[in-house]
Amino acid sequence: MSKPRYQQEEWREKMKIRLDVNNMFANQIGEKHGFTPEDINNLEKRLVAAHKSIKEAKQEGKLGFMELPETQKEVANKIKKLVAEKRNEFDNFVVLGIGGSALGSIALRTAFTNSYDQKAPRLFISDNVDPTKFKEMLKTLDLEKTVFNVISKSGGTAETMSQFLIARDLVAKELGEDKIAEHFIATTSKDSGKLIKIAQKEGMETFHIPDNVGGRFSVLTPVGLLPAAFCGINIEELLAGAEYMDRRCDTDDIWKNPAYLNATLQYLADQNGKRISVMMPYVDKLKDIADWYRQLWAESLGKEKNREGDIVNVGPTPIKALGTTDQHSQVQLYMAGPYDKVITFLTVDDYGAEVEIPEEYSEIEEVSYLGGHTLNELITTEQTATELALTKRQRLNATINLPRVNEFTIGQLFYMLELQTAFAGELYNINAFNQPGVELGKNYTYGVLGRKDYEEMKEEYESRTQKDDKLIL
Ligand code: PA5
């Protein structure tokens, strides 16, 4: 039997993703906004220290996401086995999760499934608690044919646990209490939090999120792999892509390491007043990778304090856009507005489909020139034209190119962006793996909803400065 394609060196080489940072440099952009190789070389000591720190943290088992390409191979087998059983019984797979417990699956679903196709298997991802939308989703489901995957690393997130309580109640009422174990799977921390206890009590199938992998870095754990496998995505190839990128990035030579180089340039851009980082795929299938990355970049790098505890209030603002759609929405601002952005294009060489534009209306020059071309030519030309226009206007931009969208290239991309984020965290000298900023809002919610031990938060909430009616028009 021949080796799977992701183990064939020639195919892997062909599927290597590329980072093009030409347009971040003065040669292309001009001296006012562009960088020089010296700007990078001047950071050498810090870059070496950052690399060392990542290596050490990896060795100490603190950077769990770097271990996943290896450790999840066995987990992938368990997932495949379960999916083989469940796919016969169920048409609908519903993820109940939020933030890092949902965005990776959404990105994978967009990359690999046909959103217009309503045939089973269907993946639903409910990552909000909007009552209308949640009710609409539940009404759509044939419960007999539905399996719910409750995903929460902490096992206590209010949104996810509320959704679980509602879905559980529905299944119990419509199908019977004895059907809970069959219709629910839990993905959570192995031994902390309450979800694992509930899952054990109910006899649910469980998958674990390693303790050293944070939510937004967890797409290559069962968090992303299980829903992906249910949709027929090749999860072994995803892991192989990540492993391939891990090897590529195992060097302290910044000029050979795409994750480090991109992190460094994004960091320098931010330090130079380009505080907004736009990710703009020209591939619909990658549009939710930009959304996943937006969370990864924002929650990891937006920090009040540095590692020494000093107030620094750092963090670039990530924005997602889509080409060509947002050429008719955002690009005016990117071209002509303040010099406060760096644009990262995501492109593919091969869209996997070609659509010809028919030749018609030869008498109408404004339309007839399109005939004989393809949509592929149109979208790629629009991307390169936008890139050139931005460059001419001295706007920093870079491109990450995928030969095509497949599990191997997406695995590389996930891993590269995760490592880039960890490396950027080193440069900002912050902890990229916590999220203390989201706690206060959560704690007020707990207080107001009457959670034990949050009574003070309720008091604080209720004694807040009242709003001035004159300012509400
Ligand atoms: O990246 C993170 O840690 C967060 O975005 C979490 O994924 C999100 O808050 C959901 O947490 P949990 O998986 O514990 O329900």
Short mmCIF file of all heavy atoms in Angstrom, two decimals, residues 57-107:
data_model
loop_
_atom_site.label_atom_id
_atom_site.label_comp_id
_atom_site.label_asym_id
_atom_site.label_seq_id
_atom_site.Cartn_x
_atom_site.Cartn_y
_atom_site.Cartn_z
N ALA A 57 10.43 26.71 27.54
CA ALA A 57 9.03 26.51 27.96
C ALA A 57 8.49 25.22 27.36
O ALA A 57 7.75 24.48 28.00
CB ALA A 57 8.18 27.71 27.54
N LYS A 58 8.88 24.94 26.12
CA LYS A 58 8.41 23.71 25.47
C LYS A 58 8.93 22.49 26.24
O LYS A 58 8.19 21.57 26.56
CB LYS A 58 8.90 23.68 24.01
CG LYS A 58 8.39 22.48 23.25
CD LYS A 58 8.93 22.45 21.83
CE LYS A 58 8.42 21.22 21.09
NZ LYS A 58 9.04 21.03 19.80
N GLN A 59 10.24 22.57 26.56
CA GLN A 59 10.83 21.44 27.29
C GLN A 59 10.20 21.23 28.66
O GLN A 59 10.04 20.11 29.12
CB GLN A 59 12.33 21.66 27.45
CG GLN A 59 13.10 20.78 26.49
CD GLN A 59 14.45 21.36 26.14
OE1 GLN A 59 15.02 22.11 26.93
NE2 GLN A 59 14.96 21.03 24.96
N GLU A 60 9.84 22.35 29.27
CA GLU A 60 9.21 22.24 30.61
C GLU A 60 7.74 21.86 30.51
O GLU A 60 7.03 21.84 31.51
CB GLU A 60 9.34 23.59 31.34
CG GLU A 60 10.76 23.89 31.80
CD GLU A 60 10.94 25.37 32.14
OE1 GLU A 60 9.93 26.08 32.34
OE2 GLU A 60 12.10 25.82 32.18
N GLY A 61 7.27 21.64 29.30
CA GLY A 61 5.87 21.22 29.13
C GLY A 61 4.87 22.34 29.28
O GLY A 61 3.70 22.11 29.53
N LYS A 62 5.36 23.59 29.11
CA LYS A 62 4.43 24.72 29.30
C LYS A 62 3.73 25.12 28.01
O LYS A 62 2.75 25.85 28.03
CB LYS A 62 5.19 25.93 29.84
CG LYS A 62 5.66 25.75 31.27
CD LYS A 62 6.34 27.01 31.74
CE LYS A 62 6.92 26.84 33.12
NZ LYS A 62 8.03 27.77 33.34
N LEU A 63 4.29 24.71 26.88
CA LEU A 63 3.68 25.10 25.60
C LEU A 63 3.05 23.88 24.94
O LEU A 63 3.54 23.34 23.95
CB LEU A 63 4.74 25.72 24.67
CG LEU A 63 5.35 27.04 25.13
CD1 LEU A 63 6.30 27.60 24.09
CD2 LEU A 63 4.26 28.07 25.43
N GLY A 64 1.94 23.49 25.53
CA GLY A 64 1.29 22.25 25.10
C GLY A 64 0.93 22.23 23.63
O GLY A 64 0.95 21.17 23.00
N PHE A 65 0.61 23.40 23.06
CA PHE A 65 0.18 23.38 21.65
C PHE A 65 1.29 22.85 20.74
O PHE A 65 1.01 22.28 19.69
CB PHE A 65 -0.29 24.77 21.20
CG PHE A 65 0.81 25.74 20.86
CD1 PHE A 65 1.29 25.83 19.56
CD2 PHE A 65 1.37 26.55 21.84
CE1 PHE A 65 2.31 26.73 19.24
CE2 PHE A 65 2.39 27.44 21.53
CZ PHE A 65 2.86 27.53 20.23
N MET A 66 2.55 22.98 21.19
CA MET A 66 3.67 22.51 20.35
C MET A 66 3.80 20.98 20.40
O MET A 66 4.45 20.38 19.55
CB MET A 66 4.97 23.17 20.80
CG MET A 66 4.95 24.68 20.61
SD MET A 66 6.50 25.48 21.07
CE MET A 66 7.49 25.19 19.61
N GLU A 67 3.18 20.38 21.40
CA GLU A 67 3.28 18.91 21.52
C GLU A 67 2.18 18.20 20.74
O GLU A 67 2.24 17.00 20.51
CB GLU A 67 3.13 18.50 23.00
CG GLU A 67 4.20 19.09 23.90
CD GLU A 67 3.80 19.00 25.38
OE1 GLU A 67 2.74 18.43 25.70
OE2 GLU A 67 4.57 19.52 26.21
N LEU A 68 1.15 18.95 20.36
CA LEU A 68 -0.05 18.31 19.81
C LEU A 68 0.17 17.48 18.54
O LEU A 68 -0.42 16.40 18.41
CB LEU A 68 -1.14 19.35 19.56
CG LEU A 68 -1.61 20.09 20.83
CD1 LEU A 68 -2.61 21.19 20.48
CD2 LEU A 68 -2.22 19.12 21.83
N PRO A 69 1.02 17.95 17.60
CA PRO A 69 1.19 17.13 16.39
C PRO A 69 1.61 15.70 16.73
O PRO A 69 1.26 14.76 16.03
CB PRO A 69 2.28 17.87 15.61
CG PRO A 69 2.20 19.27 16.08
CD PRO A 69 1.78 19.20 17.53
N GLU A 70 2.32 15.54 17.83
CA GLU A 70 2.76 14.21 18.23
C GLU A 70 1.72 13.54 19.15
O GLU A 70 1.24 12.44 18.87
CB GLU A 70 4.12 14.35 18.97
CG GLU A 70 4.83 13.07 19.28
CD GLU A 70 4.99 12.13 18.09
OE1 GLU A 70 5.32 12.62 16.99
OE2 GLU A 70 4.77 10.91 18.27
N THR A 71 1.34 14.27 20.20
CA THR A 71 0.49 13.61 21.23
C THR A 71 -0.92 13.29 20.73
O THR A 71 -1.56 12.38 21.24
CB THR A 71 0.36 14.48 22.50
OG1 THR A 71 -0.24 15.74 22.11
CG2 THR A 71 1.68 14.74 23.15
N GLN A 72 -1.40 14.04 19.74
CA GLN A 72 -2.80 13.82 19.33
C GLN A 72 -2.95 12.71 18.29
O GLN A 72 -4.06 12.38 17.89
CB GLN A 72 -3.41 15.13 18.80
CG GLN A 72 -3.47 16.22 19.85
CD GLN A 72 -4.27 15.84 21.09
OE1 GLN A 72 -5.48 15.69 21.03
NE2 GLN A 72 -3.60 15.66 22.23
N LYS A 73 -1.81 12.13 17.86
CA LYS A 73 -1.91 11.05 16.86
C LYS A 73 -2.75 9.90 17.41
O LYS A 73 -3.62 9.36 16.73
CB LYS A 73 -0.52 10.53 16.49
CG LYS A 73 0.18 11.44 15.49
CD LYS A 73 1.55 10.89 15.15
CE LYS A 73 2.34 11.90 14.34
NZ LYS A 73 3.77 11.69 14.38
N GLU A 74 -2.49 9.55 18.66
CA GLU A 74 -3.22 8.44 19.26
C GLU A 74 -4.69 8.83 19.51
O GLU A 74 -5.61 8.05 19.27
CB GLU A 74 -2.55 8.10 20.59
CG GLU A 74 -2.61 6.63 20.89
CD GLU A 74 -1.91 6.36 22.19
OE1 GLU A 74 -0.69 6.63 22.27
OE2 GLU A 74 -2.60 5.91 23.13
N VAL A 75 -4.84 10.09 19.95
CA VAL A 75 -6.20 10.59 20.19
C VAL A 75 -7.00 10.54 18.88
O VAL A 75 -8.19 10.22 18.87
CB VAL A 75 -6.14 12.04 20.75
CG1 VAL A 75 -7.53 12.58 21.00
CG2 VAL A 75 -5.31 12.08 22.02
N ALA A 76 -6.32 10.85 17.78
CA ALA A 76 -7.00 10.85 16.47
C ALA A 76 -7.58 9.47 16.18
O ALA A 76 -8.67 9.36 15.60
CB ALA A 76 -6.03 11.28 15.38
N ASN A 77 -6.90 8.42 16.59
CA ASN A 77 -7.43 7.07 16.36
C ASN A 77 -8.73 6.85 17.14
O ASN A 77 -9.69 6.30 16.62
CB ASN A 77 -6.41 6.01 16.79
CG ASN A 77 -5.25 5.99 15.81
OD1 ASN A 77 -5.43 6.32 14.63
ND2 ASN A 77 -4.07 5.61 16.28
N LYS A 78 -8.71 7.31 18.39
CA LYS A 78 -9.92 7.15 19.22
C LYS A 78 -11.08 7.94 18.59
O LYS A 78 -12.22 7.47 18.53
CB LYS A 78 -9.62 7.63 20.65
CG LYS A 78 -10.80 7.51 21.57
CD LYS A 78 -10.53 7.99 23.00
CE LYS A 78 -11.85 8.16 23.73
NZ LYS A 78 -11.80 8.94 24.94
N ILE A 79 -10.74 9.14 18.12
CA ILE A 79 -11.77 9.99 17.50
C ILE A 79 -12.34 9.30 16.27
O ILE A 79 -13.56 9.21 16.08
CB ILE A 79 -11.17 11.37 17.12
CG1 ILE A 79 -10.87 12.17 18.39
CG2 ILE A 79 -12.09 12.13 16.17
CD1 ILE A 79 -10.20 13.51 18.16
N LYS A 80 -11.46 8.75 15.45
CA LYS A 80 -11.92 8.12 14.20
C LYS A 80 -12.83 6.92 14.49
O LYS A 80 -13.82 6.70 13.80
CB LYS A 80 -10.72 7.70 13.35
CG LYS A 80 -10.16 8.90 12.58
CD LYS A 80 -8.87 8.63 11.88
CE LYS A 80 -8.91 7.46 10.95
NZ LYS A 80 -7.59 7.07 10.47
N LYS A 81 -12.48 6.21 15.53
CA LYS A 81 -13.29 5.05 15.89
C LYS A 81 -14.70 5.49 16.33
O LYS A 81 -15.70 4.95 15.87
CB LYS A 81 -12.58 4.32 17.05
CG LYS A 81 -12.81 2.85 17.02
CD LYS A 81 -11.85 2.10 17.93
CE LYS A 81 -12.63 0.99 18.58
NZ LYS A 81 -12.86 1.13 19.98
N LEU A 82 -14.73 6.48 17.18
CA LEU A 82 -16.03 6.95 17.65
C LEU A 82 -16.87 7.51 16.51
O LEU A 82 -18.07 7.25 16.39
CB LEU A 82 -15.85 8.04 18.73
CG LEU A 82 -17.17 8.54 19.30
CD1 LEU A 82 -17.69 7.62 20.39
CD2 LEU A 82 -17.06 9.95 19.83
N VAL A 83 -16.19 8.29 15.64
CA VAL A 83 -16.91 8.90 14.52
C VAL A 83 -17.47 7.83 13.59
O VAL A 83 -18.61 7.94 13.12
CB VAL A 83 -15.98 9.88 13.76
CG1 VAL A 83 -16.55 10.26 12.41
CG2 VAL A 83 -15.77 11.13 14.61
N ALA A 84 -16.71 6.77 13.37
CA ALA A 84 -17.20 5.69 12.51
C ALA A 84 -18.51 5.12 13.05
O ALA A 84 -19.45 4.84 12.30
CB ALA A 84 -16.15 4.60 12.39
N GLU A 85 -18.61 5.02 14.38
CA GLU A 85 -19.87 4.53 14.97
C GLU A 85 -20.98 5.57 14.88
O GLU A 85 -22.08 5.28 14.44
CB GLU A 85 -19.67 4.22 16.47
CG GLU A 85 -18.80 3.03 16.77
CD GLU A 85 -18.29 3.08 18.22
OE1 GLU A 85 -18.91 3.77 19.07
OE2 GLU A 85 -17.26 2.43 18.48
N LYS A 86 -20.64 6.78 15.28
CA LYS A 86 -21.67 7.82 15.38
C LYS A 86 -22.22 8.24 14.02
O LYS A 86 -23.38 8.63 13.91
CB LYS A 86 -21.12 9.06 16.11
CG LYS A 86 -20.73 8.81 17.54
CD LYS A 86 -21.93 8.86 18.48
CE LYS A 86 -21.52 8.62 19.91
NZ LYS A 86 -22.61 8.26 20.80
N ARG A 87 -21.36 8.19 13.01
CA ARG A 87 -21.81 8.63 11.68
C ARG A 87 -22.95 7.75 11.15
O ARG A 87 -23.80 8.22 10.39
CB ARG A 87 -20.64 8.62 10.68
CG ARG A 87 -19.75 9.84 10.73
CD ARG A 87 -20.27 11.00 9.89
NE ARG A 87 -20.14 10.75 8.46
CZ ARG A 87 -19.08 11.04 7.73
NH1 ARG A 87 -18.02 11.57 8.30
NH2 ARG A 87 -19.06 10.81 6.44
N ASN A 88 -22.98 6.49 11.55
CA ASN A 88 -24.08 5.62 11.12
C ASN A 88 -25.39 6.01 11.79
O ASN A 88 -26.45 5.89 11.22
CB ASN A 88 -23.78 4.16 11.49
CG ASN A 88 -22.66 3.65 10.62
OD1 ASN A 88 -22.48 4.12 9.50
ND2 ASN A 88 -21.89 2.71 11.14
N GLU A 89 -25.26 6.46 13.03
CA GLU A 89 -26.47 6.75 13.81
C GLU A 89 -26.98 8.17 13.64
O GLU A 89 -28.15 8.44 13.77
CB GLU A 89 -26.13 6.59 15.30
CG GLU A 89 -26.22 5.22 15.87
CD GLU A 89 -25.71 5.30 17.30
OE1 GLU A 89 -26.44 5.79 18.17
OE2 GLU A 89 -24.55 4.88 17.53
N PHE A 90 -26.05 9.11 13.45
CA PHE A 90 -26.42 10.52 13.54
C PHE A 90 -26.11 11.30 12.26
O PHE A 90 -25.06 11.10 11.64
CB PHE A 90 -25.67 11.19 14.71
CG PHE A 90 -26.01 10.58 16.04
CD1 PHE A 90 -25.09 9.80 16.73
CD2 PHE A 90 -27.26 10.77 16.60
CE1 PHE A 90 -25.40 9.22 17.95
CE2 PHE A 90 -27.60 10.20 17.82
CZ PHE A 90 -26.67 9.42 18.50
N ASP A 91 -27.03 12.21 11.93
CA ASP A 91 -26.82 13.10 10.77
C ASP A 91 -26.26 14.45 11.21
O ASP A 91 -25.61 15.14 10.43
CB ASP A 91 -28.17 13.38 10.07
CG ASP A 91 -28.68 12.14 9.37
OD1 ASP A 91 -27.89 11.22 9.16
OD2 ASP A 91 -29.89 12.11 9.05
N ASN A 92 -26.59 14.84 12.43
CA ASN A 92 -26.21 16.19 12.90
C ASN A 92 -25.24 16.11 14.07
O ASN A 92 -25.47 15.36 15.02
CB ASN A 92 -27.45 16.94 13.39
CG ASN A 92 -28.55 16.96 12.36
OD1 ASN A 92 -28.30 17.16 11.17
ND2 ASN A 92 -29.78 16.73 12.80
N PHE A 93 -24.20 16.91 13.98
CA PHE A 93 -23.22 17.00 15.06
C PHE A 93 -23.27 18.46 15.53
O PHE A 93 -23.00 19.38 14.75
CB PHE A 93 -21.84 16.64 14.52
CG PHE A 93 -20.79 16.46 15.58
CD1 PHE A 93 -20.49 15.19 16.07
CD2 PHE A 93 -20.10 17.55 16.09
CE1 PHE A 93 -19.51 15.02 17.05
CE2 PHE A 93 -19.13 17.38 17.07
CZ PHE A 93 -18.83 16.10 17.55
N VAL A 94 -23.61 18.66 16.80
CA VAL A 94 -23.78 20.04 17.29
C VAL A 94 -22.71 20.36 18.33
O VAL A 94 -22.65 19.72 19.37
CB VAL A 94 -25.17 20.23 17.93
CG1 VAL A 94 -25.35 21.68 18.40
CG2 VAL A 94 -26.27 19.86 16.94
N VAL A 95 -21.90 21.35 18.03
CA VAL A 95 -20.90 21.80 19.00
C VAL A 95 -21.54 22.86 19.88
O VAL A 95 -22.09 23.84 19.38
CB VAL A 95 -19.66 22.39 18.28
CG1 VAL A 95 -18.76 23.13 19.27
CG2 VAL A 95 -18.90 21.30 17.55
N LEU A 96 -21.47 22.64 21.19
CA LEU A 96 -21.87 23.68 22.14
C LEU A 96 -20.58 24.17 22.79
O LEU A 96 -19.95 23.44 23.56
CB LEU A 96 -22.82 23.11 23.20
CG LEU A 96 -24.09 22.39 22.70
CD1 LEU A 96 -24.89 21.81 23.86
CD2 LEU A 96 -24.96 23.33 21.88
N GLY A 97 -20.13 25.34 22.42
CA GLY A 97 -18.86 25.86 22.94
C GLY A 97 -18.71 27.30 22.49
O GLY A 97 -19.46 27.78 21.64
N ILE A 98 -17.71 27.97 23.04
CA ILE A 98 -17.55 29.40 22.71
C ILE A 98 -16.06 29.74 22.72
O ILE A 98 -15.26 29.04 23.35
CB ILE A 98 -18.37 30.26 23.73
CG1 ILE A 98 -18.58 31.69 23.22
CG2 ILE A 98 -17.72 30.28 25.10
CD1 ILE A 98 -19.68 32.44 23.98
N GLY A 99 -15.68 30.81 22.04
CA GLY A 99 -14.29 31.25 22.01
C GLY A 99 -13.41 30.17 21.42
O GLY A 99 -13.71 29.58 20.37
N GLY A 100 -12.34 29.85 22.14
CA GLY A 100 -11.40 28.84 21.66
C GLY A 100 -12.03 27.46 21.52
O GLY A 100 -11.49 26.59 20.85
N SER A 101 -13.18 27.27 22.13
CA SER A 101 -13.85 25.97 22.02
C SER A 101 -14.77 25.89 20.81
O SER A 101 -15.46 24.90 20.64
CB SER A 101 -14.65 25.69 23.31
OG SER A 101 -13.74 25.45 24.37
N ALA A 102 -14.78 26.94 20.00
CA ALA A 102 -15.66 26.93 18.81
C ALA A 102 -14.99 27.46 17.55
O ALA A 102 -15.25 26.96 16.45
CB ALA A 102 -16.90 27.77 19.09
N LEU A 103 -14.12 28.46 17.70
CA LEU A 103 -13.64 29.17 16.49
C LEU A 103 -12.81 28.29 15.56
O LEU A 103 -12.85 28.45 14.34
CB LEU A 103 -12.86 30.43 16.90
CG LEU A 103 -13.77 31.54 17.43
CD1 LEU A 103 -12.97 32.56 18.22
CD2 LEU A 103 -14.52 32.22 16.30
N GLY A 104 -12.06 27.35 16.12
CA GLY A 104 -11.27 26.44 15.28
C GLY A 104 -12.17 25.55 14.45
O GLY A 104 -11.94 25.33 13.25
N SER A 105 -13.24 25.04 15.07
CA SER A 105 -14.18 24.17 14.33
C SER A 105 -14.89 24.96 13.26
O SER A 105 -15.15 24.44 12.17
CB SER A 105 -15.24 23.60 15.27
OG SER A 105 -14.66 22.77 16.20
N ILE A 106 -15.22 26.20 13.57
CA ILE A 106 -15.89 27.03 12.56
C ILE A 106 -14.94 27.22 11.36
O ILE A 106 -15.34 27.08 10.20
CB ILE A 106 -16.32 28.39 13.16
CG1 ILE A 106 -17.38 28.17 14.24
CG2 ILE A 106 -16.85 29.32 12.07
CD1 ILE A 106 -17.80 29.41 15.01
N ALA A 107 -13.68 27.51 11.66
CA ALA A 107 -12.70 27.71 10.58
C ALA A 107 -12.56 26.45 9.73
O ALA A 107 -12.50 26.51 8.50
CB ALA A 107 -11.35 28.11 11.18
#
